[in-house]
Amino acid sequence: MPKIAGREVRGEFLALQLFDKIGKAVTPSEINAHVGRGDYAAKYISFLRGRHGFEFSVQKDGRSVVSYTLVSEPDNAADVRAKATAAPAAKAVAAAHGAAKAVKAKAAKAAKPAKVRQS
């Protein structure tokens, strides 16, 4: 899995790397092979549409998708593409600190002596 700045890159940003120009068609199998995390091409395209404002056309053969074609990009496309290389969010740092506190709390609970019940 590709990593940038010590963290994993989100799948939709890896999929976006394949769409380097408008009008380029990419198959779901190419997206899945490039991202390398399973059969989630439709999910990545959905995130790029809904969260980031990219527009794709979908070519189908019956119910199965043959390819996705990038139709248009949002005004902030360069910013979205740069998010893949941005520093980790403060939320991730806070989560790491929270995990360390939880480990210390468990260790403190284990050190207490057990209470003995008298009948």
Side-chain angles (χ1 to χ4, degrees), residues 63-77:
R63 290 193 293 173
S64 52
V65 175
V66 176
S67 67
Y68 297 101
T69 304
L70 181 61
V71 176
S72 68
E73 295 181 339
D75 294 336
N76 65 343

Side-chain angles (χ1 to χ4, degrees), residues 9 14-16 20-21 36 38 41 45 47 65 81 100 102-103 107 115 119:
V9 178
L14 292 174
L16 186 59
D20 52 354
K21 60 183 178 179
I45 297 300
F47 284 170
V65 175
R81 291 179 191 274
V103 169
K115 293 183 181 180
S119 311

Side-chain angles (χ1 to χ4, degrees), residues 33-106:
H34 181 72
V35 176
R37 296 181 188 159
D39 191 16
Y40 297 109
K43 177 181 180 178
Y44 302 139
I45 297 300
S46 172
F47 284 170
L48 288 170
R49 281 180 172 159
R51 293 180 180 174
H52 305 294
F54 289 85
E55 290 184 31
F56 295 91
S57 67
V58 180
Q59 290 73 37
K60 291 185 173 185
D61 181 22
R63 290 193 293 173
S64 52
V65 175
V66 176
S67 67
Y68 297 101
T69 304
L70 181 61
V71 176
S72 68
E73 295 181 339
D75 294 336
N76 65 343
D79 295 336
V80 173
R81 291 179 191 274
K83 283 183 182 180
T85 60
K91 190 187 298 184
V93 173
H97 288 297
K101 287 180 184 177
V103 169
K104 288 180 185 177
K106 285 182 183 179

